[in-house]
Amino acid sequence: MTDKLKQKSMKQILLITASILFAVQSFSQNTTKKPMQKFYGDIGLELGIPMKEFADSTNAVGFGFGGGVMYQPSTKVPLLIGGDLGFLVYGSNTQRQTLYANITAGNTVIDQLVMPLRFETTNSMFNMHLRMRLLAPTTIIRPYVDGVAGFNSMFTTTSVYDESEQHYFTDPSTDLITSSTEQADITYQVGCAGGMLIDLKKNLHLNLQANYLYGGKISYYDANKTDNWDITLSTTSFSNPSNVNSSDLNINAVPTTSKSDMLLFMASLAWDF
């Protein structure tokens, strides 16, 4: 083989080797490149409507707010996992009572203290869920379906406020005398949801969602029944606010127990990052 042929053959071998190395490197980069992941966060308003046995026991509708986070491991796979929190108030009312205390000198009443009080009762609901979502890989409007599992807590609180100008029970910086949780219970929630993400601009979306949640049995106070509560404050130590606490509140009422199925609607702003 002549020198020219040898040189030509070496050039061809080097060219082929370089091409193979370039191809292997490109393939290696493509195969080791991680798929793009994405997070979604949202916060917005919620509306809860009792269903079935729950609706037979109460006609209270809950209003509140909530938010959540969803994680998509790969944008090539339309599967997301995450969770959410929500807080709703499903009823509240206010009662006013006046306490009277006589000031005596010996057996003679020389003055009378008039102490107006305000009793506020609030029925609340707190829920937490885990979600698994299938999100359509479309643009502008992206429908989705969720599987949902979590818990729901319902509780009722009563707060007593001093409305007197003299602040017999409190100092001038606050009107709150005491607060008490009258009822608290917790149960499971499982169900499904459907919704859609509507693109508003890059990375910002309107999230519209409807959930049907099956709830276990739970004890609670109905918002309408709390209107007729007989609330009294049992204390004779009017001169010292520290003597008034939640144990002085007496409420004559019996909670309702039922299943807690509900429709939960949410409208929120969502963003991805």
Side-chain angles (χ1 to χ4, degrees):
M1 183 181 292
T2 63
D3 291 340
K4 289 183 177 181
L5 289 175
K6 288 181 179 180
Q7 291 176 0
K8 186 176 181 180
S9 297
M10 288 298 296
K11 289 180 179 180
Q12 291 176 343
I13 292 172
L14 290 174
L15 182 61
I16 293 172
T17 302
S19 299
I20 293 173
L21 290 174
F22 179 78
V24 170
Q25 184 179 12
S26 299
F27 178 78
S28 177
Q29 289 177 347
N30 290 333
T31 55
T32 58
K33 185 178 179 180
K34 293 183 179 180
M36 184 177 179
Q37 59 185 3
K38 185 174 286 190
F39 287 89
Y40 291 86
D42 74 308
I43 186 168
L45 301 176
E46 293 188 344
L47 171 68
I49 302 175
M51 300 296 292
K52 296 183 178 179
E53 185 179 331
F54 195 17
D56 294 336
S57 301
T58 178
N59 58 4
V61 176
F63 297 94
F65 59 90
V69 175
M70 300 296 294
Y71 170 61
Q72 187 174 15
S74 171
T75 54
K76 295 182 179 180
V77 180
L79 179 66
L80 295 82
I81 54 175
D84 64 81
L85 302 171
F87 177 81
L88 299 93
V89 173
Y90 65 95
S92 63
N93 58 71
T94 300
Q95 295 185 33
R96 283 180 165 83
Q97 295 184 21
T98 302
L99 295 182
Y100 300 93
N102 293 329
I103 300 176
T104 61
N107 295 324
T108 304
V109 176
I110 61 176
D111 200 358
Q112 186 178 61
L113 299 181
V114 179
M115 293 163 283
L117 303 177
R118 183 176 82 253
F119 296 83
E120 292 187 356
T121 302
T122 303
N123 299 317
S124 304
M125 181 184 302
F126 173 77
N127 52 58
M128 178 184 292
H129 306 116
L130 296 175
R131 292 178 180 269
M132 182 173 292
R133 174 172 298 172
L134 288 175
L135 178 64
T138 55
T139 59
I140 303 179
I141 298 178
R142 284 175 283 173
Y144 62 82
V145 293
D146 289 356
V148 186
F151 72 86
N152 181 35
S153 173
M154 299 177 69
F155 51 97
T156 298
T157 58
T158 298
S159 301
V160 186
Y161 296 89
D162 185 348
E163 293 193 322
S164 65
E165 294 181 359
Q166 295 81 5
H167 286 271
Y168 293 112
F169 291 96
T170 63
D171 59 69
S173 63
T174 178
D175 294 335
L176 179 64
I177 300 173
T178 187
S179 182
S180 173
T181 299
E182 309 306 328
Q183 172 68 25
D185 202 0
I186 189 171
T187 190
Y188 68 87
Q189 279 187 330
V190 295
C192 57
M196 62 181 69
L197 290 172
I198 303 172
D199 294 344
L200 301 178
K201 62 179 184 178
K202 185 178 180 181
N203 304 120
L204 184 65
H205 323 276
L206 174 63
N207 182 26
L208 300 177
Q209 183 184 105
N211 302 261
Y212 192 95
L213 301 172
Y214 298 91
K217 285 198 171 184
I218 193 168
S219 297
Y220 55 93
Y221 284 119
D222 175 61
N224 292 331
K225 293 180 180 178
T226 59
D227 287 336
N228 301 317
W229 273 11
D230 181 18
I231 306 175
T232 58
L233 185 64
S234 301
T235 180
T236 56
S237 302
F238 296 148
S239 60
N240 188 350
S242 62
N243 289 336
V244 182
N245 53 56
S246 59
S247 63
D248 293 316
L249 274 175
N250 297 316
I251 296 178
N252 184 19
V254 178
T256 300
T257 301
S258 71
K259 290 186 177 179
S260 53
D261 297 359
M262 65 184 301
L263 275 172
L264 182 65
F265 298 97
M266 184 174 186
S268 63
L269 284 177
W271 62 96
D272 62 74
F273 52 95

